[in-house]
Amino acid sequence: MDPAKASSESEKNATIALTLRNLSLSVIPPPSLVTQVARKLKLTRDPSKSPEASQPTLLDTSKATDEEANINKNDRDLRNVGINIFRDVDLTVKPGQVCIILGGSGSGKTTLLNTIAGRMNGPEVVTSGSIKCNGDKAKKFWNDGSVGYLQQHDFLMPFLTVRETLTYAAHLRLPRTMSSQKKKELVELVLLELGLKDCADTRVGDPGGGEQGSGGIRGISGGERRRVSAAVQLLTNPKMLLCDEVTSGLDAFSSYEVMKSLTKLAKSSQKTIVISIHQPRSEIFKLLSESDGQMVLLSRGDVVYSGPVRSVLPWIESVGVGSCPTGVNPFDYLLDLSMIDFASEAMEKTTAVRRDQLVRAWAERERSQTLVNSPTDVTILTSSGGEGSKNIGANPSFVSLAVDIIPKGSGPSLWSQIRVLTSRGWTNQRRDSIVIWGCIGECILIGLVVGAIFFQMERTEAGIRSRSSLVYAVGAIQAYLMLMIMIYRLSQDIMVYDRERMDRWYGPLPHLLSGVLFAAPPNILYPVVFSALVYYLTGLRDDAVAHFFWWLLVNTTSQFVTYAFAVMCTSIVRGFSSASLFGNAIFAFFGLSTGFFVVTSSIPVWLRWIKYLAYPNLCYSILASNEFTDNRFACPYYEQTGVWDPVQCGKYDGNIILVSQLGLKTNYFPNPIAYMACYFFGFLFLAWIALSVNIVNPTSMGSGPTLMDVFINQAMKFITRRKPAETTVQGNSSATSSNVSLDIEKAQMKETRLDVFSRGLERKDPVTIRVEGLSLSVFLSQFSWSFSGFVKYLHNKKREKQLLNDVDVVFPAGELTAILGGSGAGKTSLLNVLLHRTSSDLKMKGGIYFNDSKNPSLRTINGVCSYVRQDDNFLLSHLTVRETLQYAAELRMDGDLTKQQKHSKVEDIIDLLGLRDCADVIIGSSAVKGCSGGQRRRVSIGIQLVTEPACLFLDEPTTGLDALTAKAVVLTLKQIAASGRTVVCTIHQPRADIWHVFDNVVLLVTGGCAAYSGRADKVVEYFEDAGHVAPAFTNIPDFILDTASVNTRSPELEEKTRKTVNALVDRFNSHKAVMLESQIPAQPMGELKKVNPQFAHFGKAFPLLTRRSFVNTFRQKGLYFNRIFQPIIVAIIMTIFFAPLSNGPDGLTSRFGLLQQTTPMVFSGMLNNVAMYPFERDIAYREISDGGYSPTSFFFSFLVNELPLELFGSLGVTVFMLVITRMHTTVLTFFSFWVIMFGYINTGESIGLAFSTFASHAGFNITIMSAVISVFSLMTGFMSLNIPKFLDVINHVSLFKYGSLILSRNEFENWTIDCTDAQKLSGGCPYQTGQQALELLKFNGVDWNLYMGLFVTVVIVYRLVAWLALVLKVKSNRW
């Protein structure tokens, strides 16, 4: 290539110019298989290709240029096809520009960003139009990592600190030519730029980790997490940066600073930055207007405006809908114009007409019309008057140094990526001490139990059999236990990999190799602990030390192979439920192919090759060879005569035992280690292929259909044959007409839906809340994996972190109080402590008074309070909006109301919160497409509105909402307060017209101190008296937050702003007695009345919870049917190996193995529970803590939904393992086998319920539960014939003891083994009747009926223990 041309091409691609032309996206529900075939045969038409789809619509009346016509001539018009998400987006963003995407909740902002980022994939997604970067296809830039994407959901490692997270990101993405010192400086500058200095050494944690019932890891606040995600993307230095709701969860001060940083970054480094945003403050409009910023204004997927920010107001004026009033935030004005106001039916109609007029005007514009020559007069917009936003001197910042300190060059080398990923993974892993110590405990427990069962085995014939059982148990059972633990952990870790892989940070190879390296220490430690215990407790051969070291080496190698196998499972199948099912199925093939449970000659010929792929078989062979090769046991003839006779002592000769009885080779232990290494690298290679081929987007339209999903969906479509729903096009209302008068003022005079809602509110007894001297702190352990860290831990040295510090505030009854403060100031902590929702390890002092009741209990608080949390992750993802609210109403509303009255109230709330358009859309989640984030936020608020409590607390109710919806929500809260209720909410970025709705305001600052508590209309005067005057036309809450925030972006700014904040705190402390006294009623308020803290009794809650859970679960067809087919698939695999059973001596051995292999059904039940219960448990904890219902109601609703799955699953197991294998089948044996299998699966669920209730860490639970189940499985009697007495006593609480006896009696009683005369003479048929087999197992002489009764009793007891665990957990409030 010509060097000049190459240089020109390089300069061209150094920056990215983004161009969208007529970009549209629709979601088309996939047709059934029959429909697809009919379309292929042209027996029916394809609506997406029909002539109607190509007809011009209302928005197509304008004429396109020839160039655009050529671009779109091959594109389908998707506006009449499927569900339109957005339509006809035209946009140009040049390098150095910032573009914001503005619109209401559900307008398509996130979907548009996902499309630009290349994240909207799937057969149901269809796009038209073009996305070009520098005139080329955007795919080229997606693939080379030029596009960075800050997603709406944060995927971060919870045990890393903020500084560590950014440091590792810098080393992973910045050029190799940059020194470590420069990278460190850059990280520190980003910490300062985004205000993360104070939390830099705090671990990230999980969302909601600070509240009871969250089950998460406590860390930084939600706003701080958002800034950390933004910082990670800034460090990656992409050419184009996409940010989805970058300011959500941030206070107004932090939001403005983030936007300033991004604008400066775009200019200084010529980056192209596109941002979706909900409620930008007015200063951002001025900032973008002066920096040549671009914007897209969406309304229900239609474009209202797309072009320069400075030209939007002139364009709106030219349409004829009015002009922006002076002093009003232009963004708020634009959102109000483009959205439909659901305040009343009249307002809805008139605003819909206005919106359609704006959409029509933009569609009909002249394409050649230029908008850049009509600049907005931005002089009417003022910058914030807070001291915190003013710059002092020329201070170094990330955006000013970005170009200078980031030289051109290649990215980190493969070795550097492996080194950084290894360090990061090891740091995150070693701090998860619960899992580490849980795995060590599991190894010790299993080692001790196995050692006790096979304790000091004799060198007799029975000891020889026990040795063969032991080496199998060590090689297979321990590997299976560790496999389940690893699959769980890896299924969590791979979400971070998927996000970073989508951003092109690194490829599969460094991910896999680093995982092997940082997992190596525990993968060595665990088998060493386990192997050493087992080897010396069981008395294995001690004639040479080399045998012990080979024992250790084989078990350690097996651990590494198990790890590689788990990596392969999680790489092929995402999600613990599916990955564990996949791993279970394959491992069952591996385990059975060893020939230990089934005679090798009985295995079908076409399956025998599997043993060559089964690493447990190789491990078993090596360990057996290590133990038996050249090892002579206690032959009675030799002991009597002193002569080793090969005939008399043949069955005591280890070499003969290996060859004749076990079918293995002698001296097999050194060389096959290389074969184990081949398994290890083979599994990793398959994982590498899976990760290379299948790049998963964690924020796509969904997780993608599984094979089970496809099968079930097609079956349901064939069965139901529902009439397809008619599709409608959003925004193309037939009511649109330019002749309709837009009489907004007249519509506002009519009765609103809020008025109707307010009339239905009953008056409540007033509750005034006082907080006196409240302090809240957490003690952080200084333990680290070093000698000094261990010494500090032994001396119990902990660092105390203050969350709230001597807070005195009042929340008056009948008024709306807003809590303001920066991210991490303690707003959520204050709400949690007021409502008794803090974790038990937090230290609290001070007094909380509800009227005159000091520090009331949770039950008392639940009687008068409702709480809307900050996050919406605890909504059932597959219920629709209407169903969610209806179930809440039926559970929480007065029982005297009819169902129709409750549903009528729900419809009123749907209209009030503007949820009508999404009322029949599922809630969705981060992995399942459903409602938008703002819509989910409104649903959470609606759930609490149905209860009409005396006190309503809301944590950031407007986060994720557009300005108009946020205003409607706050007006609703005002009306609720006006009915005599106490309403308290935290809020981040209130618009000016919202601020005047608040009666009172509480201001929290850094360190959890109160800087103001009093009337909202007095706060400006209070700040003026303190020397802080708000400039004209300034949004008051923005001014307050700017003034009361610490700016850590430079030492000078930090020193000055910290002095300002401290002065505000000191001033409030000196005046608070007088200020708070005026808010407290003069007369005594009395104690809180005793109110029933539980909305729904058992008879009411149980059927509702049962129905709700069933609907939500059944719609997750893959998960629902996985729970049925997990045990059935295992049973099918067993049947393939064992069927048909013979009646000869080999059949006896195979029957022993088959009966032993029924015990894994308990594991199936446990794994099914772990995949489903923890999420429903966390929802139940929150609803129970809110007084929604009793734990018993939840427990039995879960039980009822679980029972049919267990019945069908156990029936399938019975058919395959009993009937098809040709075991003894009668009516009695069939139903008793069914009962036993049902009991096994049900008990697995019970064990999962009990452990998952007491401990929220799923990884720890799987570790301990697997160990407990395995201990009982080893004591069935099939693996070892001599169990120590103390273990035999413990065995009485194991249902395996009773189940194994019942199944053995069913099979072996009255059974005669077919033995030939030759077999009898040669000793090849040692047992000739089933009764002799029962005597060997010591199962004879026991009452069958008694043991069946004991089995059923034990199953019920396990479930009662699980119920008791839940009840005690709730009563202790320690979740």
Side-chain angles (χ1 to χ4, degrees):
M1 181 183 290
D2 184 11
K5 185 177 180 181
S7 176
S8 175
E9 184 71 18
S10 177
E11 291 179 3
K12 175 185 175 183
N13 293 329
T15 58
I16 293 179
L18 174 67
T19 305
L20 310 182
R21 288 292 177 264
N22 296 321
L23 185 63
S24 301
L25 182 140
S26 291
V27 177
I28 302 178
S32 66
L33 291 176
V34 176
T35 303
Q36 292 181 41
V37 172
R39 288 178 182 174
K40 289 289 185 182
L41 298 176
K42 297 183 179 181
L43 300 177
T44 184
R45 65 183 181 86
D46 186 343
S48 64
K49 299 179 180 179
S50 63
E52 291 83 353
S54 61
Q55 294 297 322
T57 64
L58 176 68
L59 304 181
D60 289 324
T61 55
S62 61
K63 296 205 175 182
T65 63
D66 292 340
E67 179 184 358
E68 289 164 340
N70 291 333
I71 290 175
N72 295 317
K73 65 182 181 180
N74 294 323
D75 288 333
R76 288 180 289 168
D77 189 326
L78 300 176
R79 285 167 297 192
N80 289 330
V81 180
I83 303 170
N84 301 135
I85 307 302
F86 58 79
R87 295 165 287 280
D88 293 328
V89 179
D90 290 327
L91 176 66
T92 298
V93 188
K94 299 177 182 177
Q97 289 184 333
V98 174
C99 174
I100 65 169
I101 303 175
L102 201 63
S105 301
S107 61
K109 300 185 299 298
T110 298
T111 307
L112 178 57
L113 273 180
N114 282 334
T115 306
I116 296 173
R119 308 289 175 91
M120 294 300 296
N121 301 314
E124 73 277 15
V125 179
V126 184
T127 61
S128 66
S130 65
I131 306 174
K132 298 290 182 68
C133 293
N134 295 340
D136 298 327
K137 291 185 177 180
K139 186 175 182 180
K140 167 186 173 183
F141 295 87
W142 297 336
N143 293 336
D144 65 8
S146 297
V147 180
Y149 189 17
L150 172 60
Q151 301 165 103
Q152 193 172 12
H153 301 277
D154 302 314
F155 296 93
L156 302 168
M157 289 191 165
F159 291 98
L160 298 182
T161 67
V162 172
R163 178 176 280 111
E164 289 169 341
T165 300
L166 299 185
T167 300
Y168 287 123
H171 285 284
L172 279 173
R173 282 291 287 168
L174 295 178
R176 71 182 75 174
T177 53
M178 182 185 294
S179 67
S180 297
Q181 182 61 31
K182 288 291 186 181
K183 293 176 182 176
K184 182 179 179 181
E185 291 175 4
L186 184 59
V187 168
E188 295 303 318
L189 288 173
V190 172
L191 290 171
L192 290 174
E193 190 72 27
L194 295 181
L196 293 169
K197 176 185 174 183
D198 290 341
C199 64
D201 295 317
T202 303
R203 66 183 181 182
V204 173
D206 291 325
E211 186 197 344
Q212 294 187 36
S214 66
I217 300 161
R218 183 185 296 107
I220 56 179
S221 69
E224 290 166 339
R225 286 177 60 86
R226 201 77 193 111
R227 279 180 280 164
V228 171
S229 295
V232 168
Q233 290 299 332
L234 292 179
L235 281 171
T236 59
N237 194 33
K239 299 172 185 175
M240 181 168 69
L241 178 61
L242 310 177
C243 303
D244 191 10
E245 298 185 14
V246 67
T247 62
S248 288
L250 303 184
D251 57 88
F253 171 77
S254 299
S255 299
Y256 183 47
E257 293 297 326
V258 168
M259 287 301 299
K260 284 200 302 184
S261 299
L262 291 175
T263 304
K264 292 177 185 177
L265 178 64
K267 286 294 182 184
S268 63
S269 57
Q270 289 298 292
K271 293 185 185 300
T272 304
I273 299 179
V274 184
I275 304 167
S276 71
I277 194 167
H278 268 306
Q279 301 180 52
R281 53 191 282 181
S282 57
E283 288 80 8
I284 295 177
F285 187 89
K286 181 175 184 290
L287 177 70
L288 294 176
S289 297
E290 294 175 344
S291 61
D292 194 26
Q294 303 289 309
M295 69 172 290
V296 176
L297 179 59
L298 294 176
S299 176
R300 293 184 164 191
D302 291 314
V303 180
V304 176
Y305 174 81
S306 179
V309 173
R310 64 171 176 265
S311 302
V312 62
L313 294 182
W315 165 257
I316 295 297
E317 290 180 19
S318 69
V319 176
V321 294
S323 58
C324 180
T326 302
V328 173
N329 184 346
F331 286 131
D332 291 345
Y333 171 73
L334 292 171
L335 283 170
D336 290 348
L337 287 179
S338 62
M339 292 187 62
I340 298 176
D341 192 341
F342 293 94
S344 66
E345 186 175 352
M347 284 293 294
E348 183 178 351
K349 290 181 179 179
T350 52
T351 53
V353 171
R354 181 180 63 189
R355 169 207 167 284
D356 289 342
Q357 180 182 355
L358 290 168
V359 172
R360 180 191 294 273
W362 182 255
E364 294 177 348
R365 75 195 186 282
E366 290 295 331
R367 298 283 180 164
S368 60
Q369 178 181 352
T370 176
L371 299 173
V372 296
N373 296 323
S374 304
T376 300
D377 182 8
V378 296
T379 59
I380 63 172
L381 302 172
T382 62
S383 62
S384 178
E387 283 83 346
S389 63
K390 297 177 181 178
N391 292 326
I392 301 175
N395 300 303
S397 67
F398 168 75
V399 296
S400 63
L401 293 177
V403 176
D404 297 330
I405 68 174
I406 302 180
K408 293 182 179 180
S410 58
S413 63
L414 176 63
W415 167 244
S416 296
Q417 290 178 336
I418 295 173
R419 178 176 52 81
V420 174
L421 289 172
T422 301
S423 177
R424 185 180 72 169
W426 168 247
T427 302
N428 187 70
Q429 174 185 261
R430 66 184 173 84
R431 289 178 183 164
D432 192 3
S433 56
I434 294 179
V435 169
I436 291 178
W437 288 110
C439 289
I440 293 174
E442 181 268 338
C443 292
I444 294 175
L445 175 63
I446 296 296
L448 291 175
V449 170
V450 171
I453 293 175
F454 299 95
F455 184 72
Q456 295 299 314
M457 294 176 292
E458 298 178 352
R459 300 182 65 80
T460 61
E461 189 174 357
I464 294 172
R465 176 175 173 80
S466 294
R467 277 173 168 79
S468 62
S469 299
L470 172 63
V471 294
Y472 175 81
V474 170
I477 295 178
Q478 177 65 6
Y480 177 78
L481 295 181
M482 298 308 297
L483 174 67
M484 290 299 103
I485 300 166
M486 291 174 179
I487 286 180
Y488 174 80
R489 184 176 64 79
L490 292 169
S491 65
Q492 303 300 308
D493 293 345
I494 202 167
M495 290 189 292
V496 176
Y497 164 78
D498 286 333
R499 192 265 297 173
E500 295 174 342
R501 172 65 169 155
M502 287 296 294
D503 291 340
R504 300 301 193 274
W505 284 27
Y506 49 86
L509 186 58
H511 166 69
L512 294 173
L513 295 182
S514 65
V516 172
L517 292 175
F518 73 71
N523 282 341
I524 294 173
L525 175 63
Y526 301 153
V528 166
V529 171
F530 172 76
S531 300
L533 283 172
V534 171
Y535 197 89
Y536 289 106
L537 284 175
T538 56
L540 294 174
R541 66 189 303 177
D542 55 1
D543 53 320
V545 178
H547 291 295
F548 172 69
F549 285 108
W550 280 117
W551 172 270
L552 286 181
L553 179 61
V554 172
N555 281 287
T556 302
T557 307
S558 175
Q559 176 80 9
F560 276 88
V561 177
T562 301
Y563 171 82
F565 179 61
V567 170
M568 183 196 72
C569 293
T570 53
S571 299
I572 295 174
V573 184
R574 295 294 192 275
F576 174 71
S577 175
S578 299
S580 63
L581 175 60
F582 181 71
N584 250 329
I586 296 180
F587 199 87
F589 276 104
F590 287 170
L592 292 173
S593 66
T594 61
F596 179 79
F597 287 116
V598 56
V599 178
T600 304
S601 59
S602 301
I603 298 176
V605 176
W606 60 276
L607 280 177
R608 294 179 188 177
W609 60 271
I610 293 179
K611 70 177 182 179
Y612 299 108
L613 301 179
Y615 74 92
N617 176 57
L618 185 60
C619 182
Y620 167 67
S621 302
I622 300 172
L623 293 178
S625 182
N626 181 59
E627 176 64 19
F628 288 106
T629 297
D630 299 332
N631 191 6
R632 291 182 173 181
F633 296 90
C635 174
Y637 181 83
Y638 175 78
E639 292 177 352
Q640 293 174 4
T641 63
V643 177
W644 186 269
D645 188 317
V647 177
Q648 298 292 333
C649 297
K651 59 183 178 181
Y652 296 97
D653 190 322
N655 293 335
I656 296 176
I657 293 171
L658 278 174
V659 176
S660 301
Q661 297 184 20
L662 302 181
L664 302 175
K665 300 177 182 179
T666 60
N667 295 301
Y668 195 60
F669 45 91
N671 296 331
I673 296 295
Y675 303 154
M676 296 285 283
C678 292
Y679 285 122
F680 173 76
F681 289 110
F683 289 140
L684 289 180
F685 178 71
L686 292 176
W688 175 77
I689 293 177
L691 293 176
S692 300
V693 172
N694 185 27
I695 301 177
V696 176
N697 177 16
T699 59
S700 64
M701 293 292 290
S703 56
T706 62
L707 291 176
M708 184 61 67
D709 289 330
V710 172
F711 171 79
I712 295 166
N713 286 333
Q714 300 300 335
M716 294 300 294
K717 286 177 182 177
F718 180 78
I719 294 171
T720 57
R721 297 182 181 272
R722 292 180 180 174
K723 183 179 179 181
E726 296 181 3
T727 58
T728 59
V729 181
Q730 297 180 6
N732 295 338
S733 174
S734 59
T736 302
S737 173
S738 60
N739 297 324
V740 179
S741 173
L742 304 179
D743 192 358
I744 302 297
E745 293 184 2
K746 185 176 179 180
Q748 289 174 339
M749 297 297 292
K750 296 184 179 181
E751 185 179 54
T752 66
R753 291 180 172 122
L754 181 55
D755 296 331
V756 176
F757 176 79
S758 302
R759 283 204 310 268
L761 292 173
E762 297 180 0
R763 300 289 301 183
K764 295 285 186 178
D765 294 332
V767 178
T768 297
I769 303 171
R770 306 189 329 270
V771 176
E772 296 182 357
L774 179 64
S775 295
L776 186 70
S777 59
V778 60
F779 289 93
L780 304 176
S781 173
Q782 299 189 46
F783 174 78
S784 62
W785 289 77
S786 63
F787 179 76
S788 60
F790 186 67
V791 171
K792 290 180 181 179
Y793 179 76
L794 292 178
H795 286 82
N796 199 29
K797 290 186 178 181
K798 296 183 178 181
R799 176 171 60 90
E800 184 177 8
K801 180 180 180 180
Q802 206 71 32
L803 304 178
L804 295 172
N805 188 8
D806 195 22
V807 174
D808 291 273
V809 294
V810 174
F811 303 106
E815 296 183 356
L816 173 59
T817 303
I819 303 176
L820 293 180
S823 300
K827 301 184 298 298
T828 300
S829 296
L830 177 58
L831 289 186
N832 284 338
V833 75
L834 286 175
L835 294 168
H836 213 298
R837 302 301 204 277
T838 53
S839 299
S840 57
D841 57 345
L842 296 180
K843 178 184 177 182
M844 188 200 85
K845 64 179 180 179
I848 301 173
Y849 294 84
F850 282 70
N851 287 345
D852 292 331
S853 299
K854 182 178 181 180
N855 296 336
S857 66
L858 176 61
R859 290 176 60 85
T860 304
I861 291 174
N862 284 339
V864 295
C865 298
S866 288
Y867 186 20
V868 180
R869 272 88 168 178
Q870 183 177 1
D871 59 279
D872 306 310
N873 297 326
F874 293 90
L875 298 173
L876 293 171
S877 60
H878 284 73
L879 294 183
T880 66
V881 170
R882 179 177 279 109
E883 289 169 342
T884 300
L885 295 175
Q886 286 177 347
Y887 283 122
E890 293 180 40
L891 277 171
R892 296 164 176 256
M893 292 182 70
D894 193 341
D896 295 334
L897 298 175
T898 65
K899 185 175 182 179
Q900 289 71 21
Q901 288 175 317
K902 294 175 181 177
H903 287 188
S904 177
K905 178 68 174 292
V906 167
E907 296 304 316
D908 290 341
I909 291 175
I910 287 175
D911 287 331
L912 181 67
L913 297 177
L915 293 170
R916 178 64 58 189
D917 287 344
C918 63
D920 296 313
V921 176
I922 63 171
I923 297 294
S925 64
S926 60
V928 180
K929 186 64 177 176
C931 293
S932 68
Q935 290 165 341
R936 284 198 293 269
R937 182 93 282 237
R938 282 178 275 165
V939 172
S940 296
I941 296 171
I943 290 174
Q944 300 302 331
L945 291 183
V946 301
T947 63
E948 301 181 6
C951 301
L952 178 60
F953 294 83
L954 305 98
D955 193 5
E956 299 182 18
T958 62
T959 295
L961 302 184
D962 54 85
L964 182 62
T965 306
K967 179 181 178 182
V969 167
V970 174
L971 288 173
T972 303
L973 300 180
K974 175 67 174 179
Q975 289 293 92
I976 294 173
S979 66
R981 291 163 169 80
T982 306
V983 182
V984 181
C985 67
T986 65
I987 196 161
H988 271 311
Q989 304 174 47
R991 52 190 279 181
D993 51 357
I994 287 179
W995 173 254
H996 298 296
V997 178
F998 295 117
D999 298 302
N1000 306 286
V1001 63
V1002 172
L1003 177 62
L1004 297 179
V1005 297
T1006 302
C1009 300
Y1012 180 83
S1013 178
R1015 302 293 303 176
D1017 54 9
K1018 300 291 185 182
V1019 69
V1020 174
E1021 179 183 344
Y1022 179 84
F1023 270 73
E1024 287 178 352
D1025 293 341
H1028 309 286
V1029 180
F1033 306 120
T1034 298
N1035 187 13
I1036 299 303
D1038 292 347
F1039 163 76
I1040 293 172
L1041 287 170
D1042 289 347
T1043 304
S1045 297
V1046 177
N1047 194 332
T1048 60
R1049 286 160 178 79
S1050 71
E1052 295 86 355
L1053 274 175
E1054 181 177 3
E1055 181 181 3
K1056 180 176 180 179
T1057 53
R1058 198 173 291 278
K1059 286 181 179 179
T1060 301
V1061 171
N1062 291 338
L1064 288 172
V1065 173
D1066 293 340
R1067 188 173 192 275
F1068 174 71
N1069 287 335
S1070 62
H1071 292 80
K1072 64 183 178 183
V1074 177
M1075 295 175 64
L1076 298 180
E1077 186 178 0
S1078 62
Q1079 295 182 290
I1080 302 175
Q1083 67 277 13
M1085 294 171 284
E1087 299 281 338
L1088 284 182
K1089 292 183 179 180
K1090 290 187 177 180
V1091 182
N1092 182 14
Q1094 186 176 298
F1095 291 113
H1097 55 79
F1098 179 83
K1100 177 182 178 182
F1102 168 68
L1104 287 172
L1105 293 174
T1106 302
R1107 189 168 73 249
R1108 184 181 75 170
S1109 179
F1110 172 77
V1111 172
N1112 181 70
T1113 307
F1114 185 74
R1115 287 175 182 165
Q1116 303 174 67
K1117 297 183 177 66
L1119 177 61
Y1120 190 81
F1121 285 88
N1122 274 352
R1123 298 188 71 186
I1124 296 178
F1125 285 103
Q1126 174 123 232
I1128 293 178
I1129 288 175
V1130 174
I1132 291 173
I1133 295 172
M1134 303 293 177
T1135 304
I1136 291 173
F1137 276 89
F1138 285 95
L1141 292 170
S1142 70
N1143 288 324
D1146 291 347
L1148 175 64
T1149 303
S1150 295
R1151 280 172 170 80
F1152 283 158
L1154 181 59
L1155 294 176
Q1156 172 65 31
Q1157 287 300 95
T1158 59
T1159 60
M1161 297 305 154
V1162 180
F1163 282 99
S1164 296
M1166 181 267 289
L1167 294 174
N1168 282 336
N1169 180 271
V1170 170
M1172 190 73 186
Y1173 176 70
F1175 179 70
E1176 293 203 8
R1177 172 205 64 194
D1178 291 343
I1179 294 177
Y1181 281 169
R1182 291 203 171 190
E1183 294 180 336
I1184 293 170
S1185 69
D1186 289 340
Y1189 44 82
S1190 68
T1192 301
S1193 300
F1194 164 70
F1195 182 86
F1196 282 97
S1197 70
F1198 189 88
L1199 171 66
V1200 168
N1201 277 302
E1202 162 202 332
L1203 285 178
L1205 308 182
E1206 295 170 355
L1207 286 170
F1208 282 112
S1210 57
L1211 176 61
V1213 172
T1214 302
V1215 169
F1216 282 99
M1217 295 189 71
L1218 178 72
V1219 179
I1220 298 181
T1221 59
R1222 298 185 185 177
M1223 292 179 69
H1224 181 55
T1225 305
T1226 64
V1227 174
L1228 177 63
T1229 60
F1230 182 89
F1231 281 99
S1232 58
F1233 196 100
W1234 189 3
V1235 169
I1236 299 300
M1237 293 303 101
F1238 171 81
Y1240 282 177
I1241 299 172
N1242 184 270
T1243 300
E1245 294 260 8
S1246 298
I1247 293 173
L1249 286 169
F1251 277 91
S1252 296
T1253 296
F1254 268 117
S1256 60
H1257 198 301
F1260 174 79
N1261 291 333
I1262 293 172
T1263 303
I1264 301 303
M1265 288 187 292
S1266 299
V1268 171
I1269 295 172
S1270 296
V1271 167
F1272 288 138
S1273 177
L1274 289 171
M1275 297 190 294
T1276 56
F1278 298 111
M1279 297 287 290
S1280 179
L1281 303 179
N1282 297 309
I1283 300 175
K1285 289 185 178 180
F1286 77 95
L1287 286 179
D1288 193 43
V1289 172
I1290 297 175
N1291 201 25
H1292 281 82
V1293 301
S1294 168
L1295 76 165
F1296 292 142
K1297 175 183 178 67
Y1298 311 105
S1300 298
L1301 183 141
I1302 293 168
L1303 296 179
S1304 299
R1305 291 280 296 273
N1306 287 347
E1307 183 64 22
F1308 295 129
E1309 279 190 346
N1310 303 318
W1311 180 51
T1312 301
I1313 301 174
D1314 295 338
C1315 298
T1316 63
D1317 293 337
Q1319 288 174 330
K1320 293 178 181 179
L1321 292 175
S1322 64
C1325 186
Y1327 308 102
Q1328 300 177 19
T1329 65
Q1331 192 63 35
Q1332 292 176 332
L1334 290 175
E1335 292 175 359
L1336 172 69
L1337 299 173
K1338 302 178 181 178
F1339 285 168
N1340 57 327
V1342 180
D1343 188 349
W1344 187 96
N1345 294 320
L1346 172 64
Y1347 266 56
M1348 178 58 81
L1350 290 173
F1351 179 86
V1352 174
T1353 301
V1354 170
V1355 171
I1356 295 173
V1357 167
Y1358 272 100
R1359 187 50 60 108
L1360 290 176
V1361 168
W1363 167 77
L1364 185 62
L1366 180 62
V1367 172
L1368 293 177
K1369 184 75 170 183
V1370 170
K1371 287 187 175 181
S1372 68
N1373 296 326
R1374 295 180 63 87
W1375 52 52

